[in-house]
Structure formats: structure tokens, C-alpha cells
Amino acid sequence: MQVQFKETGEVPQGPILVAGSGPLALAYAAQLAAAGYPPVALLERGTPFVTALVQPGAAFNSLRRWQPLAEALGYARQLWRARVPYHTGCRVTAIEAQAQGLRVSTVNQRGQTRLYEVAHLALHDGLEVNQTGLPQQSVAGVPVVWAGDCREVLGAEAALLDGRRAAQQVAAALGQACPEAGLEAPLQAARRLQAALRTLYQPPTGTGISPDLSPETVVCRCEGLRAAGFAALQGAGSAHEIRVVGRFAMGACQGRFCARNTQALAAQAGVVFEPQDLHGRVPRWPLRPVSVAALAAYADDQ
């Protein structure tokens, strides 16, 4: 929804609940509020304010750069002006479809539950490096260089700098050295900031998949697989069988979004499923499948 909003300025109609973990959820909620569509609430799984008191070093590293600090204060101001409730240590436990939207169940660290009836739920559980299917070295003599979010998630500004660093590597590989000084220092500063934010927004432990998960819960979005499909694999003896037979982590994202949940479900069944092993064993370029019908719809001159 944030991508849709940033690219088109359009906001889904009806009440929106923003939930998850990390500063991106805060940014999206503030952007909605600034556009005149304040969410009914912002639910943060982590406890950044408590963590800042316990680990002041992380708080210091997140505040030492004025630009991110000013941005965060701007988001807080937007939420305050729009009277958007901001609850930390709160997580979503269930999402049920209703005739008029969604019924979202939540619980906080004190065990207090609350229901929200909304039209839309924006979920965000942090950012992860997108290396799915990418080769780690040159292929058939063609240089392969990682940059931006497929190497490190450091923000838009740092991604541009990392792109320039990658361009230097490519130029050097082609025998056209063009060194540019001053790239590493801002990248290091961005790394410190992101490390501090990860610490501040780290969700509490013990908030994994519930053993009484609803059979209708969607686990793998690419393949449209639900928890009930995993229950049918209780006799699976290996992670390979879970993937090949059950199709979990076999979709277009190759487990980027569902591998952690699949790992938790596999652990409940006594099967070791390591997400970090997926990409090395079954490499796949990050391409979206295109049907033959879609290709046939193009005119000959296209």
C-alpha cells in the first residue's frame, strides 16, 4: 500500500490499521495522516522507547544524524496532530474477513486484547536484503556486482551511494578505473543508523507462530498456501519434501516472505528447515512469471 501511495497518491478507501515492526510503519502511518487519511491506530511490535532506556548506545546512534532525527520528529508530529494512537509492544494475533472488511485481533505485552474492525490492514515486519536467486560471482565472464537493497538495506540515499560504488567495481572489471573518494564514510554512517534502528525496534521474543494457528491462515502468498496445507505434510521427513511436495517457499519470491513462517511450522513438526539454505540449493533469478496468454496478447510490433 505504501508503494501504491508513493507512486499514485491514491489511498484505499475506508479505515486503515497499520501494524508491524520498524520505522517504515511509522513513516507510512504519518504519510497517511499528512494526506488526510489518518489510520485508526499504529501498532508497533517492538518497544523502541523502553529499549532506548535499556540500551542508550542504540538510541545515541539513531539520533546522532540530524536528518533522520528531523524526519522521525516530523512523522511523530503528523501522528500527534491527527490524534493517531501509537501502541508499542502490540502485535496482531488474528485477521478475519468480514462482509464489510476485516476484524483484527491484537494483544499487548500485558496480555490485554483488542479488536479493530477496519477496511484495510497494512502489515510490515521490517526490511530484508533481497538476494533471492542472485549469483554471487561472475557468470560466463559477465561481472556480477551487488548494490543497494540486494546487498544491504541502508535507505534510499545510501543505495545511491552504493550504486556508485558498484559502478566503480564494474568499471574496474572492464579496465576503466574511475575511483571516487568519499563513498565509504557515509555508507558506514548509514550502517550504524540501521543497526541502531534494528536494535530499537527488535520485537520481543516469544512472539512466533502460535501452535493453535487457524488452518485458514495464509502462509505462502505466492502459492496461495494456507496453514491447513502444511498440516497435511506432518509426515514430511525433510525440508526438501516440504518444498517439493508442499510447494512452500517454491513460489516467485523463493521463500523471501514465507521462509521464516515455514521454518516455525516445520519446527513444530520436528523438521529442520533453514531459510538460509534455500537460495544456494535452488538458485532462481528474481523474475515474475509471465503467462503465454499475456505474451500472446501483445501485437506483433511490440
Side-chain angles (χ1 to χ4, degrees):
M1 281 193 282
Q2 191 202 31
V3 173
Q4 175 191 10
F5 178 64
K6 290 176 68 175
E7 292 185 351
T8 67
E10 297 180 359
V11 178
Q13 297 300 308
I16 301 174
L17 175 65
V18 180
S21 178
L24 187 60
L26 171 65
Y28 181 53
Q31 290 163 358
L32 288 175
Y37 301 93
V40 297
L42 170 58
L43 311 181
E44 167 61 48
R45 286 183 64 198
T47 54
F49 304 119
V50 174
T51 304
L53 296 176
V54 177
Q55 301 189 49
F60 173 76
N61 282 331
S62 66
L63 299 176
R64 63 191 300 179
R65 295 179 61 194
W66 69 268
Q67 187 173 358
L69 174 59
E71 187 177 357
L73 291 175
Y75 293 150
R77 181 170 176 267
Q78 289 291 351
L79 294 179
W80 179 80
R81 292 180 62 182
R83 300 295 189 268
V84 176
Y86 181 30
H87 302 296
T88 61
C90 186
R91 64 188 178 96
V92 173
T93 57
I95 307 168
E96 301 172 75
Q98 297 191 119
Q100 301 300 321
L102 301 172
R103 187 182 191 190
V104 183
S105 303
T106 67
V107 63
N108 62 19
Q109 285 187 301
R110 295 183 294 276
Q112 298 170 326
T113 60
R114 183 168 182 174
L115 295 176
Y116 293 89
E117 294 190 356
V118 295
H120 307 279
L121 172 63
L123 282 173
H124 174 71
D125 274 325
L127 300 172
E128 188 171 344
V129 173
N130 184 14
Q131 300 174 348
T132 305
L134 296 179
Q136 299 187 18
Q137 55 189 357
S138 299
V139 178
V142 178
V144 175
V145 179
W146 292 5
D149 287 355
C150 72
R151 192 172 84 100
E152 299 176 276
V153 179
L154 301 177
E157 182 180 340
L160 292 175
L161 293 174
D162 202 35
R164 288 158 61 181
R165 177 204 56 79
Q168 291 183 24
Q169 285 187 254
V170 173
L174 297 175
Q176 301 292 329
C178 53
E180 180 180 357
L183 294 181
E184 190 57 33
L187 286 174
Q188 288 289 3
R191 291 186 186 103
R192 287 193 296 268
L193 173 62
Q194 292 301 321
L197 291 176
R198 283 194 297 271
T199 299
L200 291 176
Y201 284 93
Q202 178 65 36
T205 58
T207 57
I209 287 185
S210 171
D212 56 352
L213 191 69
S214 168
E216 295 303 309
T217 301
V218 175
V219 177
C220 177
R221 291 181 287 177
C222 296
E223 296 286 314
L225 300 174
R226 301 177 183 271
F230 197 95
L233 293 172
Q234 289 298 315
S238 68
H240 181 71
E241 189 174 349
I242 289 174
R243 296 195 75 207
V244 175
V245 178
R247 299 295 301 174
F248 288 90
M250 285 287 280
C253 82
Q254 288 289 281
R256 184 183 178 210
F257 296 108
C258 69
R260 295 296 177 187
N261 291 333
T262 302
Q263 180 186 35
L265 289 170
Q268 293 178 7
V271 176
V272 177
F273 187 97
E274 295 294 344
Q276 62 266 27
D277 294 339
L278 294 179
H279 306 151
R281 294 179 181 175
V282 190
R284 176 172 175 174
W285 289 90
L287 304 177
R288 183 178 297 277
V290 179
S291 67
V292 174
L295 295 175
Y298 279 93
D300 293 339
D301 59 352
Q302 292 180 308

